[in-house]
Amino acid sequence: MGSSVSHAAAPPPPPPSPSPSPSSVGLAAALPRKQDEKAEPEKVDWLNLPCPIPFEEIQREALMSLKPELFEGLRFDFTKGLNQRFSLSHSVFMGSMEVPSQASDTLKVPTAHYEFGANFLDPKLMLVGRVLTDGRLNARVKSDLTDNLTMKMNAQLTNEPHFSQGMFNFDYKGTDFRSQLQIGNNAFYGGNYIQSVSPHLSLGTEIFWLGHQRKSGIGFAARYNTDNMVATGQVASTGIVALSYVQKVSEKVSLASDFMYNHLTQDVTSSFGYDYILRQCRLRGRIDSNGAFAAFLEERLNMGVNFILSAEVDHRKKDYKFGFGMTVGE
């Protein structure tokens, strides 16, 4: 018998598919591809949130642009380092000092003083002292008691009675929170706490008691920050509402604005400022809702030598302040 396997000819192979034209390839690349799966959101480790900044520095970016260290007159600062930890400083100021006045105009009194300072800087200890020819003595101490606990002391002694002040702060830094206890003269006691609730949002509260005046208060604050912006809000039982916003336009330019409302006096103020950092100088300025504007320029002339210009003009109060100075030493 013959074989049962069929010896019929195999079917011819299918014709080759035509190759795509260059135009069809470009069209396919231009069309958006369908995403079968949605992009997964960034996972957040809620047990490992970043540590927030101290409660008292919650508006530091806005204050840096809107509250530069303006002055009127002549200022010269010289700092000489004796070694890596110890340095001496000398400062001369000649200008005017504002005194309270019932009139709308600002009353200024000419003044001049010399200031001598000594600084001791260590990784875990900082001592700063200043003595002025008018009799004032300022002292600051910062000591890291442990890796998480820091003690701070600020004191100002004057010849005038009831004007001397002293304050002790104990700061504790946790993994995702900070707390502070404050004790001062005139029976002042205070405390604050700030907690990170997300990678960008932190909430805090503060409370104080001033026994000398039998006053107390409580406040709440919120801070939201990203790589390009910082927004803060604060409200207190004393009737103060404060808002601030800082936008980082580029690595060299930042814009800032703030708003403050006092419920007791019904005062409302707002301001807008800028911070422009160049290669050799830094320019900061602001204008507020009262029509006053200010500018502050720091020009680096050489290594360790800076030239300073300060200006503040308030046409409404007829208050004009212009100053220039120089700082030598780091």
Side-chain angles (χ1 to χ4, degrees):
M1 297 180 59
S3 174
S4 60
V5 178
S6 174
H7 295 277
S17 58
S19 59
S21 62
S23 60
S24 62
V25 173
L27 180 61
L31 294 175
R33 297 181 179 180
K34 296 182 179 180
Q35 297 181 354
D36 298 335
E37 297 180 359
K38 295 182 178 180
E40 295 182 0
E42 182 182 356
K43 294 183 179 180
V44 177
D45 187 2
W46 298 102
L47 299 180
N48 192 23
L49 295 176
C51 184
I53 67 172
F55 187 92
E56 56 190 4
E57 300 179 12
I58 196 171
Q59 293 184 343
R60 64 183 182 186
E61 291 85 1
L63 295 178
M64 186 66 66
S65 301
L66 300 174
K67 306 289 184 182
E69 191 179 351
L70 302 173
F71 64 96
E72 181 181 13
L74 168 67
R75 194 178 79 182
F76 177 77
D77 300 320
F78 175 75
T79 302
K80 174 64 175 179
L82 302 181
N83 52 47
Q84 294 182 352
R85 298 183 178 181
F86 191 72
S87 62
L88 300 177
S89 64
H90 308 268
S91 179
V92 177
F93 174 78
M94 292 182 291
S96 60
M97 179 180 61
E98 296 183 0
V99 297
S101 176
Q102 297 181 354
S104 59
D105 297 341
T106 303
L107 184 60
K108 298 182 181 181
V109 176
T111 183
H113 63 255
Y114 164 76
E115 177 184 287
F116 173 77
N119 311 306
F120 178 82
L121 302 178
D122 188 74
K124 292 189 176 182
L125 178 63
M126 181 185 72
L127 304 175
V128 178
R130 298 287 186 271
V131 59
L132 289 82
T133 53
D134 57 6
R136 286 181 295 169
L137 174 64
N138 301 324
R140 286 191 301 156
V141 178
K142 180 182 178 182
S143 175
D144 294 336
L145 304 180
T146 65
D147 292 339
N148 297 329
L149 182 61
T150 302
M151 186 271 294
K152 299 178 183 178
M153 188 274 292
N154 296 322
Q156 182 179 17
L157 305 178
T158 64
N159 295 328
E160 302 179 9
H162 310 295
F163 277 89
S164 298
Q165 298 179 357
M167 179 76 70
F168 282 91
N169 296 341
F170 295 91
D171 300 342
Y172 184 82
K173 178 183 178 182
T175 56
D176 58 357
F177 72 91
R178 289 178 184 264
S179 59
Q180 183 184 73
L181 175 64
Q182 300 174 326
I183 303 175
N185 62 327
N186 296 326
F188 175 84
Y189 302 95
N192 57 64
Y193 178 87
I194 186 168
Q195 171 75 55
S196 292
V197 296
S198 78
H200 303 289
L201 178 63
S202 56
L203 303 176
T205 183
E206 66 173 344
I207 189 172
F208 72 90
W209 164 256
L210 186 56
H212 184 70
Q213 300 180 3
R214 313 293 292 182
K215 290 183 179 181
S216 63
I218 186 173
F220 302 93
R223 174 186 168 96
Y224 184 85
N225 64 284
T226 64
D227 295 337
N228 297 322
M229 57 83 63
V230 177
T232 66
Q234 291 181 275
V235 59
S237 60
T238 54
I240 300 295
V241 177
L243 306 174
S244 70
Y245 179 80
V246 178
Q247 178 67 47
K248 188 176 181 180
V249 180
S250 66
E251 292 295 331
K252 298 182 179 180
V253 181
S254 297
L255 301 178
S257 62
D258 71 345
F259 171 86
M260 181 172 291
Y261 170 69
N262 191 329
H263 179 70
L264 299 180
T265 61
Q266 299 295 312
D267 290 337
V268 179
T269 58
S270 62
S271 60
F272 172 81
Y274 60 89
D275 190 349
Y276 193 17
I277 301 177
L278 297 173
R279 188 172 62 90
Q280 290 291 112
C281 74
R282 182 176 186 178
L283 177 62
R284 287 174 283 176
R286 75 161 192 272
I287 182 172
D288 59 26
S289 56
N290 295 324
F293 57 91
F296 190 80
L297 172 67
E298 296 173 279
E299 176 76 21
R300 185 175 183 179
L301 303 179
N302 203 342
M303 181 66 68
V305 180
N306 296 329
F307 179 68
I308 302 174
L309 288 177
S310 175
E312 186 177 12
V313 176
D314 189 344
H315 292 287
R316 191 167 134 186
K317 294 183 179 180
K318 297 181 180 180
D319 185 14
Y320 312 102
K321 301 177 183 177
F322 299 94
F324 65 97
M326 182 171 291
T327 61
V328 179
E330 298 294 341

